[in-house]
Every structure is written in structure tokens, then in C-alpha cells.
Amino acid sequence: MKKICAIMLMVFSFAFIANAVFADQLTPEECEKKKEGWYVTGLPLINFTSDTGVGYGVRLFLYNNGERGQDYFCTTPYLTQVYAQFFQTTLGWSYHELHWDQYQLFGTNMRLSTSIVYENNIAAHYYGIGSRTTRYGLTSYNGIEFNTYKSWRDNFLMYNNNPLYGLNGYHGYWKYNFYQITRPKFYADLYGQIIDNLKFIVGVQVTYVSIGTWDGRRFDLNGRKWYATDTQLSNERPRGIDGGWANTLRIGLVYTTIDFEPDPTRGVHADYNFESSQRFFGSDYVFYRHTAAARYYHTLFDMLTLGSRLAYTTATGNIPFYELSEWSFPYNRQSGLGGNRTLRGYPGDRFAGRTMTLAQLEARLKVYELTGLGQRFVFKLIGYFDAGNVYDNSGDPFSHPRWGDYKWSYGGGLVIAWNQATIIHFLYSKSREDSQISIDFNHAIR
């Protein structure tokens, strides 16, 4: 792991120097292929991840790219993006969203990105918090460790007719690491340019969270009766179990030379975001979060794009447990470690703590391009490697890195770029503990 990290740092340093000379715009060839004016994309959502089950719904995009010849045409992915999403899964996750993203706001160089979201998940994950989550494997209530998710599920979660409870016909523990969360939220982020390639971010997020546990509930599953005994969340009772408001303000800086934000092929992107939650802003919690990240992209032979992301986040104050897994990246807040955006190959929120590190490498190979009826589809094969760790203190990754506790995963799949800006992925990821399948929108590294 030390060698891998050293190699990644050397490659990143070289790529930063090599890419820093590029301007953040499309190549003339790609700009020539970009559509003008308004257009619509959208499709039924048929999604599957091992975490959430089969998902179904619809997402409709409305784009305006503006007119060719305008100064912004080759330097922005679009002028306006609006999408509406209805989405839910067979394992009880619903995520509905109305989103607006606007470049050249009121004729200026500013950008506004804003969303209204309603999320409800009856199968959210809680595996504990802090460095112990990467020190030890999946663990039962009595401290027994399991090397794989399948072994843990078969020998603990689905343990039949638990004699401790003596419930005839019921099977216990299926919900041990699950809880219920309802989370409506609104966010708005304003981006402006300071000097060439250097931008600022000012944003606000308003969130109300309601938490429910499965303790003592009876339910049917696959024709069998189940009884949810004590859950890990109710046993540990971390801060935030009572839910409430977790509203944040954030400011940030971004240095970027990437050519096309939804599907970059070259350039460097380095950012820092500071978030604060305060009672004067209506929050029930007072906490601070710092997130720093760097990405780079380099393309060989106009076909093979190499991408990478290094990221670090740390939080202080009385932050609720469900906020500990959040990464405050500049254009999208991602959850991890685990799931289909960060440490792929592990279930969502598998590892969480006050301080987290993340390293990701990707190779994207363009294999085919299809055009017709005013549409353009670019097909890319993708392979990747992810690694990450959790710490209890902000300085631990540097003073006590615990290289042996790093968790890693790898995988590959297919990415389709539809009219350049709509990215659809089909991924299979593998880790020592489990495997995950994801059919969804957008690149993980963005």
C-alpha cells in the first residue's frame, strides 16, 4: 500500500505540471461536435446496486448549450441544465429531485447550482463510526468477526429462531445494521471567477433529518416472518440518533483547468471547501468540516483517458453520525466510504468517521462512437482502483497513517456519454468483503 500511494503521488505531481498549461475548454474537434441551442435527453431509470436493489423511475433533462461562437460555448459543458427525477428501489430507497444548473447567470461569469431533494431510505446502513470500522471486519453484537458480507449475512443477519428471544416462526437480526432515514433538503451553490482558472464557491444547504430504528419490529420478507432484534444504531446511540436540523454554510476555492466537467479528458482540478453548521442558522448541531481534493486527467492517443482523485475530509464539533460519511466536493456532495461513488466494491456508508482519506485511479478507453438523428453516443470501457481509510483525529493520516488498515476495491464496466453532457455508467466492483453492481448516472470521480 505504501508503494501504491507513493506511485500515485508521483504520477499526480507529474500530471499536474503536464496539464497545468491547458485552458479549461474543449478541443476544437470536440467543440465542433457540440450541439447548439435547446435539446432534451432522458430515459426511464432502470437502476441496480447491491445496496439498494432494483431501482426504477425516470429522469428528464432539459439543456441549452447556447450559440456556437459565443465566448462560453467551448468553455462550459452547457449554458442551462434542468432535470427532474422520480426514483425508488425495491429495498426501500426513494430519491426525488428537481435540479437547476445555470452558467452565465444574469449575463455574468457566475454559475448557480440548486436542488430540491426528498430522500427516504428504510434500509440505510450503520456499521459504526471511527477508525475501528477499518481496523475490524463486519462484526456481530457479541464481537464475532466475519471476512465477507455473505458469511456475515448467512451466519449472523439471518440467524434462524434465535433462542434468546424464543419467537416461534420468527428469524432474527436481519436489520442489525440498518435504520430508517427521511431527509428532505434544499441546497444552492454560487460559483464565481476570481482570476483565470481560480474560482470561489459560496453555498447553503438546509436539511431536516428524521431517524427511525428497526428494533422490535416484525415484518415479512420472501415469504418468511422476521423479527428485528436490537440494532447496532440503538445499542451505540451515536450523536444524531434523534435527527433534527443540520443546516450548513460553505465557502470554497477551486483551481481548475479541466476541459469538460461532466466527462473530462485533460486538466487539473484542485479544491478546498469549508462547511459550518451553527445554531444561528437554525441547525440543531454545531460542527465544522474541511474537505480538500485534487483530480487530474490525461489522455493518450485521443482514446485512453487516465483519471485520478486524492481527497481528505475532517470534521470537528458535535456532528451527527449521518453527516460523518459526507464529502463536500465542489459540484456534488458524495457519500462514503462505500457505495458507487467512493470506495466501490463496499456497501454504502460502510466506513465513516471524523477524518477520511480517499484515493482513486481510473482508465477510460473510448471504443465506439454512434451518431444519428441529432444524437451522439460515445462508448467507453472503464477500469478503476479505489482505496480509503478512516481516522479519529485530523492529523492521524499523516502522523499515524495505519497503511495496513486501508480498504481497497477495484472494478470495471461501460460508460456512455450521450450528447457529451449526460453520462450513464454500468459498473461491477469487487472488494475483499463484497461485490457491488451499479447502473447509474455520472462518473464517480467528478
Side-chain angles (χ1 to χ4, degrees):
M1 184 58 67
K2 290 182 180 179
K3 291 181 179 179
I4 291 174
C5 292
I7 291 171
M8 289 181 65
L9 287 173
M10 288 189 291
V11 171
F12 173 77
S13 299
F14 170 77
F16 188 92
I17 296 171
N19 283 301
V21 298
F22 289 117
D24 52 343
Q25 61 181 357
L26 291 169
T27 63
E29 295 80 10
E30 285 295 314
C31 188
E32 185 63 30
K33 296 176 181 179
K34 187 177 179 181
K35 291 174 67 70
E36 290 187 88
W38 292 92
Y39 67 97
V40 175
T41 65
L43 68 168
L45 295 178
I46 305 298
N47 162 286
F48 176 80
T49 72
S50 305
D51 284 344
T52 58
V54 177
Y56 52 94
V58 63
R59 180 186 284 191
L60 296 176
F61 290 92
L62 176 65
Y63 289 99
N64 178 21
N65 283 349
E67 299 179 3
R68 197 178 308 278
Q70 296 292 329
D71 292 340
Y72 58 77
F73 192 78
C74 293
T75 60
T76 61
Y78 41 78
L79 187 61
T80 304
Q81 180 201 65
V82 178
Y83 69 76
Q85 172 177 296
F86 170 84
F87 182 74
Q88 57 191 26
T89 75
T90 55
L91 293 184
W93 180 44
S94 300
Y95 196 94
H96 313 307
E97 181 177 10
L98 181 62
H99 176 81
W100 174 41
D101 193 1
Q102 180 68 50
Y103 285 85
Q104 303 294 306
L105 184 68
F106 303 127
T108 70
N109 285 330
M110 303 188 77
R111 172 187 179 186
L112 176 66
S113 180
T114 182
S115 278
I116 300 173
V117 176
Y118 176 80
E119 179 184 12
N120 182 59
N121 191 353
I122 66 172
H125 297 151
Y126 179 80
Y127 298 97
I129 54 178
S131 61
R132 64 188 174 95
T133 60
T134 52
R135 280 201 182 103
Y136 307 106
L138 294 161
T139 307
S140 67
Y141 74 98
N142 54 0
I144 298 176
E145 272 190 76
F146 299 91
N147 293 326
T148 67
Y149 189 91
K150 183 180 185 303
S151 175
W152 179 69
R153 180 195 63 201
D154 293 346
N155 294 285
F156 173 57
L157 290 184
M158 299 181 71
Y159 183 65
N160 292 336
N161 296 319
N162 189 330
L164 291 177
Y165 288 83
L167 292 172
N168 262 343
Y170 283 90
H171 312 276
Y173 291 116
W174 178 255
K175 299 292 186 181
Y176 182 72
N177 289 98
F178 294 93
Y179 69 99
Q180 304 171 57
I181 182 170
T182 302
R183 180 162 42 187
K185 62 184 174 182
F186 164 81
Y187 73 81
D189 292 307
L190 186 67
Y191 307 85
Q193 188 166 319
I194 300 174
I195 57 175
D196 288 348
N197 303 118
L198 184 63
K199 303 175 182 180
F200 70 84
I201 305 172
V202 177
V204 59
Q205 181 168 275
V206 179
T207 308
Y208 182 79
V209 171
S210 177
I211 301 292
T213 66
W214 281 96
D215 302 65
R217 298 193 182 187
R218 294 172 173 82
F219 55 96
D220 294 329
L221 181 66
N222 298 328
R224 304 176 73 182
K225 294 181 177 180
W226 296 87
Y227 175 81
T229 61
D230 294 348
T231 60
Q232 187 169 357
L233 182 67
S234 62
N235 287 339
E236 296 186 1
R237 298 197 62 81
R239 180 181 289 113
I241 194 171
D242 296 322
W245 294 94
N247 307 327
T248 58
L249 294 169
R250 77 164 173 168
I251 57 174
L253 289 174
V254 174
Y255 173 81
T256 182
T257 65
I258 61 174
D259 56 346
F260 192 69
E261 181 192 313
D263 191 19
T265 63
R266 58 193 175 99
V268 171
H269 189 290
D271 55 82
Y272 163 75
N273 278 274
F274 169 74
E275 279 191 310
S276 177
S277 176
Q278 300 291 329
R279 295 192 183 281
F280 74 83
F281 192 52
S283 181
D284 293 315
Y285 305 93
V286 177
F287 63 87
Y288 308 88
R289 176 162 44 214
H290 306 264
T291 303
R295 292 183 277 144
Y296 75 83
Y297 304 89
H298 186 69
T299 296
L300 304 171
F301 317 115
D302 293 325
M303 294 179 59
L304 178 62
T305 298
L306 304 177
S308 178
R309 175 165 66 181
L310 299 175
Y312 164 91
T313 188
T314 188
T316 58
N318 64 335
I319 183 169
F321 76 92
Y322 48 82
E323 285 284 336
L324 286 174
S325 62
E326 296 292 312
W327 296 79
S328 181
F329 294 127
Y331 306 121
N332 59 323
R333 291 171 173 84
Q334 292 184 341
S335 184
L337 297 165
N340 64 352
R341 304 296 181 185
T342 53
L343 196 56
R344 293 162 285 188
Y346 286 94
D349 296 338
R350 173 64 181 88
F351 310 103
R354 287 186 174 271
T355 301
M356 298 185 292
T357 57
L358 175 67
Q360 296 176 284
L361 292 172
E362 283 192 354
R364 306 168 185 171
L365 178 65
K366 179 181 175 181
V367 293
Y368 190 67
E369 183 174 330
L370 178 65
T371 58
L373 300 177
Q375 306 299 311
R376 179 179 178 228
F377 298 89
V378 176
F379 297 82
K380 300 180 182 182
L381 296 178
I382 182 174
Y384 48 85
F385 175 86
D386 306 324
N389 206 351
V390 175
Y391 303 88
D392 297 322
N393 301 295
S394 59
D396 287 352
F398 314 103
S399 60
H400 300 91
R402 299 180 11 254
W403 299 111
D405 291 338
Y406 262 81
K407 302 299 180 182
W408 53 270
S409 63
Y410 60 93
L414 175 68
V415 170
I416 302 174
W418 182 4
N419 289 335
Q420 296 176 307
T422 303
I423 308 299
I424 307 166
H425 74 236
F426 306 82
L427 304 179
Y428 175 79
S429 308
K430 182 74 175 173
S431 70
R432 289 180 175 179
E433 192 174 279
D434 198 13
S435 61
Q436 301 285 316
I437 295 173
S438 175
I439 304 171
D440 211 334
F441 287 98
N442 299 324
H443 286 294
I445 301 177
R446 63 185 296 265

